[in-house]
Amino acid sequence: MISGSSLILFAAFSVSLCDDGHEMEEFLKREYSLSKPYQGIGVSGSSHWELMGDALVTTDYVRLTPDHQSKQGAVWSRIPCHLRDWELQVHFKVHGQGKKNLNGDGLAVWYTQERMQKGPVFGNRDFFTGLGVFVDTYPNEEKLLEAQRKRYTPRTQRIFPYVLAMVGNGSISYDHERDGRPTELGGCSAMVRNLKHDSFLFIRYVRRRLTIMLDIDGQQEWRDCLDVPGVRLPQGYYFGASAVTGDLSDNHDLISMKLYQLTVLRSKQEDEEQQEVLVPSVDNMELLRPLTDAEGMSSVTVFFSVLFSMLGVFLLLVVGLVLYGHWSESRRKRFY
Ligand SMILES: *[C@@H]1O[C@H](CO)[C@@H](O)[C@H](O)[C@H]1NC(C)=O
Ligand SMILES: [Ca+2]
């Protein structure tokens, strides 16, 4: 069943078209891929993958965390990836006993300079350098605001689980309490918990364009989640995945991570223009954007500001008309 559907996916994607019509070819790169049977993982140095923390491997999946409190686990590739254009297909499963929003905290997929470092970002270190894609299953900000008895504004309301991408340059922090909003590249809601069918996350990086898609409806169809051009990621980083539980928990299981090399035809000029990237960045975007008060205006505030300005203009018009009436009256009186 599982291998069948991934076969279909592979066949469907073995030749595909890029946005601008260029044809691309895909090749599965086994050295960067994690799939059944997970031979030698966590046992010896012979495997391409290394386990960490509470992660464990069974015949059917790599369990990053079990459905217990305060666990964290990860799996990391041992080999840095020097491919320029690639696509990562992540087959995963998040499931547990917790009812809606009484589960946590989620899992992350990484392409970073650092590897095998414990920390607060879904079990991985903060101030990371590279790309993180988070499947965040717990709405921390919403709960925080509720606890502070602040009315929750529509601007910030999001349905969780939420998939979010972030690019770090080593000096910016993931804000866990705010679910990473100040540093997000973009994202989408995704009901990924306790699904009966297989769920997939798809990360494509071609010509510095980052695209994230999901297949979580059991239809073998990819749904767009995020599409950002101008994402500069250095080569030679490591792929990995991590997960964490806190007071609330879930099983975070990885069934496979398959990396495909994409061969993209580039003109000579394009090749020459593309100088090597040393620090991750995104064109025309600050990686950290603290929300100011003005930016934090909710749609309710905007609505009332517009309403009051319109009332103001109307009032001015009325006053103007009244004054004009008085003026013409007194002028008439002067003439008689
Ligand atoms: C990292 O990003 C922040 C925020 O965009 C920026 O202020 C800082 O200079 C960047 N650091 C490096 C090393 O590029
Ligand atoms: Ca969260």
Side-chain angles (χ1 to χ4, degrees), residues 167-183:
V167 168
N169 65 10
S171 62
I172 60 177
S173 175
Y174 171 80
D175 189 343
H176 180 72
E177 290 305 316
R178 309 230 17 233
D179 302 306
R181 282 174 170 85
T183 51

Side-chain angles (χ1 to χ4, degrees), residues 126-127 165-176 178 180-185 280-282 284-292 295:
D126 202 3
F127 299 102
M166 166 177 172
V167 168
N169 65 10
S171 62
I172 60 177
S173 175
Y174 171 80
D175 189 343
H176 180 72
R178 309 230 17 233
R181 282 174 170 85
T183 51
E184 68 180 344
L185 275 189
S281 66
V282 181
N284 308 317
M285 197 189 275
E286 288 291 329
L287 296 181
L288 177 66
R289 302 173 301 280
L291 296 178
T292 61
E295 212 181 327

Side-chain angles (χ1 to χ4, degrees), residues 26 85-90 107-111 131-135 163-165 200-206 209-214 222 226 233 239-240 257-260 262:
E26 306 196 347
D85 303 285
W86 47 263
E87 163 184 303
L88 185 67
Q89 295 181 6
V90 184
L107 68 90
V109 178
W110 302 98
Y111 173 72
L131 173 70
V133 178
F134 313 134
V135 180
V163 175
L164 182 146
F200 297 88
L201 176 75
F202 168 87
I203 305 169
R204 176 185 271 184
Y205 184 62
V206 176
R209 185 177 205 105
L210 177 70
T211 313
I212 296 179
M213 289 186 259
L214 294 160
W222 297 104
L226 169 148
L233 296 172
F239 287 105
M257 292 220 285
K258 292 184 179 164
L259 189 83
Y260 295 90
L262 303 179

